[in-house]
């Protein structure tokens, strides 16, 4: 097996075990919630009341939970709704339609989430790990290495928190209800498989068990961890799979997506087609357009041949600038020619609108640096 340049942070490479956060309601399924309340000396049905507050009404302040006995509120919330995310900074752009939240976790790790409002939907882009170990050289998150996996509740709470922001009417011109979640923030979701899967279940279970989102409105994006992609295909879920391909040939993909040294383009595409077969869902192929690196006409043609006739859609992402990167976005005429060639091959293709560039909230820009403001 090829050894991979997986990047680890100092703490991880020094062998210190990263500290996971305290247990939270969103970590638990319904029966575990009931057990937790019984262990606190409360009746089982309080699990449903508490879940209705958190998932159904997006309420986390115990004082607002007036159907719980005043004497028990603090105890119940203290045990089951510990604060997992402390907002450090919120930034907005696109006239408030894009908002990036920077959170501090209980161990000081920083992660980011992005809320994006459109006329017909509200999407949140959430993180699944603090940092990332996949080392893609064009991605800011990949440069810092992996600190740790997020817990299920740390993942879910980003969506619940920002669903509350949307519900408050903060995203002008968009519906107030969060409708879509994309695992395209910091981290490689399939490297934190079990917690991400549990998070998907919490996000999609009907309220009050979960947030009640449609499975079809959840997208999991991966660098291409083939065994995990195959496992996901067998979960009987209707979530969308996005594959960060970025190059149609192994020579270049080995460099742009280092995990390709382990699972080659042909294998990763096979796993994607297996996912499409099992779920009937179109796989989204992500391709960052990098000037003079992966944007040549012959690469468009090769990509077209690989994808033609498959249940796939290509999302071209104009490369977003990241600190210290030697790469730029492709010129617009080059991008247009790339699109034209893919479409001529019969492959459905769109160019992603890159939200949040000014606030470093766009794809690949999430690095969670805390800037000291004066
Ligand atoms: N680790 C997962 C989830 C991150 S999703 C994955 O790689 O799929 C973020 C998407 O943005 C991925 O497709 C990623 O490759 C892409 N991306 C990363 N850096 C980027 C950059 N600087 N410009 C444009 N897209 C980028």
């Amino acid at each position: 097996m090829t050894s991979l340049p997986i990047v680890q942070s100092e703490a991880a490479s020094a062998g210190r075990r990263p500290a996971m956060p305290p247990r939270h309601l969103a970590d638990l399924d319904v029966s575990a919630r009931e057990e937790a309340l019984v262990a606190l000396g409360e009746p089982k049905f309080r699990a449903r009341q508490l879940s209705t507050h958190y998932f159904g009404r997006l309420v986390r302040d115990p004082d607002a939970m007036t159907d719980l006995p005043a004497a028990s509120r603090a105890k119940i919330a203290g045990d089951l709704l510990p604060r997992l995310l402390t907002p450090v900074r919120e930034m907005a752009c696109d006239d408030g339609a894009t908002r990036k939240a920077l959170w501090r976790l209980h161990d000081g790790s920083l992660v980011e989430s992005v809320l994006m409002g459109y006329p017909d939907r509200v999407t949140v882009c959430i993180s699944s790990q603090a940092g990332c170990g996949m080392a893609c050289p064009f991605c800011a998150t990949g440069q810092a290495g992996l600190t740790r996996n997020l817990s299920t509740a740390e993942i879910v709470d980003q969506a619940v928190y920002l669903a509350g922001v949307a519900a408050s009417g903060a995203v002008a011109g968009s519906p107030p209800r969060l409708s879509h979640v994309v695992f395209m923030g910091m981290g490689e979701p399939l490297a934190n498989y079990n917690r991400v899967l549990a998070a998907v279940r919490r996000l999609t279970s009907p309220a009050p068990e979960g947030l009640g989102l449609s499975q079809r409105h959840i997208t999991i994006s991966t660098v291409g961890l083939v065994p995990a992609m195959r496992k996901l295909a067998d979960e009987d879920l209707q979530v969308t799979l996005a594959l960060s391909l970025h190059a149609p040939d192994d020579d270049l993909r080995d460099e742009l997506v280092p995990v390709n040294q382990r699972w080659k383009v042909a294998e990763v595409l096979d796993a994607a087609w297996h996912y499409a077969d099992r779920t009937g869902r179109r796989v989204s192929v992500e391709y960052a357009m990098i000037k003079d690196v992966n944007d040549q006409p012959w690469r468009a043609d090769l990509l077209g041949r690989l994808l033609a006739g498959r249940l796939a859609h290509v999302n071209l992402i104009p490369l977003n600038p990241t600190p210290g990167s030697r790469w730029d976005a492709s010129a617009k005429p080059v991008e247009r020619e790339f699109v034209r060639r893919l479409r001529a091959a019969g492959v459905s293709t769109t160019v992603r609108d890159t939200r949040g560039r000014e606030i470093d909230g766009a794809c690949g820009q999430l690095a969670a640096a805390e800037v000291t403001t004066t």
Side-chain angles (χ1 to χ4, degrees):
M1 187 165 54
T2 331
S3 69
L4 286 174
I6 299 296
V7 183
Q8 286 194 326
S9 72
E10 254 173 57
S13 50
R16 289 199 294 277
R17 226 184 125 76
M20 293 304 273
R23 176 206 60 174
H24 182 281
L25 183 79
D27 287 311
L28 307 177
D29 63 19
V30 168
S31 59
R33 289 176 206 173
E34 288 174 352
E35 280 168 28
L37 278 145
V38 170
L40 285 178
E42 294 289 329
K44 256 191 192 173
F45 66 82
R46 298 248 182 274
R48 190 177 171 88
Q49 290 176 307
L50 191 64
S51 301
T52 301
H53 284 298
Y54 178 76
F55 284 111
R57 300 177 50 215
L58 311 173
V59 163
R60 59 185 68 214
D61 170 11
D63 292 336
M65 301 180 183
T66 49
D67 57 342
L68 303 184
S72 317
R73 280 178 215 157
K75 173 184 72 175
I76 294 174
D79 192 65
L80 281 157
L81 297 176
R83 184 202 276 258
L84 299 177
L85 309 176
T86 303
V88 178
R89 222 152 49 107
E90 208 191 297
M91 292 167 72
C93 67
D94 304 325
D95 286 332
T98 306
R99 316 174 85 89
K100 179 170 90 164
L102 172 65
W103 318 103
R104 182 177 294 106
L105 309 181
H106 81 109
D107 60 347
S109 300
L110 297 170
V111 297
E112 291 174 310
S113 328
V114 186
L115 180 66
M116 290 164 287
Y118 301 87
D120 59 335
R121 66 195 155 95
V122 175
T123 299
V124 7
C125 173
I126 57 177
S127 297
S128 56
Q129 298 182 311
C132 184
M134 297 296 135
C136 303
F138 57 92
C139 175
T141 312
Q143 304 317 300
L146 176 66
T147 302
R148 69 168 168 87
N149 285 323
L150 300 192
S151 70
T152 297
E154 284 174 322
I155 298 168
V156 172
D157 204 36
Q158 296 168 58
V160 172
Y161 202 110
L162 291 176
V165 171
S168 74
V171 195
S174 296
R177 205 178 134 67
L178 173 71
S179 51
H180 291 69
V181 172
V182 297
F183 284 82
M184 294 191 179
M186 298 169 70
E188 167 50 41
L190 296 188
N192 187 15
Y193 190 92
N194 291 339
R195 296 183 191 91
V196 164
L197 256 280
V200 169
R201 296 197 193 283
R202 296 293 115 72
L203 294 173
T204 58
S205 301
E209 185 180 343
L211 208 50
L213 301 181
S214 157
Q215 288 181 9
R216 291 166 178 254
H217 291 180
I218 308 278
T219 300
I220 296 183
S221 183
T222 179
V223 288
L225 304 184
V226 165
M229 288 167 74
R230 291 189 170 275
K231 193 166 167 200
L232 185 66
D234 296 331
E235 298 281 355
D236 207 19
L237 287 170
Q238 281 288 297
V239 302
T240 300
L241 180 68
L243 169 62
S244 296
L245 195 65
H246 304 310
D249 54 305
D250 287 320
D251 274 354
L252 180 58
R253 195 166 191 270
D254 279 351
E255 185 190 348
L256 295 182
V257 185
V259 79
N260 196 70
Q261 294 164 30
R262 176 71 182 85
W263 292 289
K264 298 295 174 189
V265 170
E267 281 174 278
V268 89
L269 287 177
D270 263 0
W273 310 146
H274 174 68
Y275 189 85
D277 282 349
R278 289 301 306 260
T279 60
R281 309 277 302 147
R282 195 165 78 158
V283 173
S284 174
V285 173
E286 313 292 293
Y287 199 103
M289 292 291 286
I290 314 178
K291 184 178 182 177
D292 298 333
V293 173
N294 64 352
D295 61 357
Q296 302 81 357
W298 71 266
R299 283 203 162 93
D301 294 342
L302 176 55
L303 184 62
R305 285 198 296 279
L306 293 175
L307 305 188
R310 300 293 188 169
L311 208 49
H313 172 87
V314 175
N315 237 315
L316 298 178
I317 317 171
L319 185 80
N320 290 307
T322 59
S325 167
R326 56 187 188 282
W327 287 317
D328 291 319
S330 304
K332 282 291 155 191
V334 171
E335 182 185 284
R336 278 195 291 274
E337 177 62 10
F338 207 89
V339 172
R340 195 191 64 73
R341 284 174 184 257
L342 283 170
R343 289 188 180 151
V347 178
S348 117
T349 305
T350 47
V351 178
R352 179 179 292 168
D353 111 67
T354 47
R355 283 291 190 95
R357 270 195 191 192
E358 306 94 290
I359 52 174
D360 284 348
C363 300
Q365 293 185 309
L366 302 183
E370 189 183 354
V371 178
T372 319
T373 41
T374 46

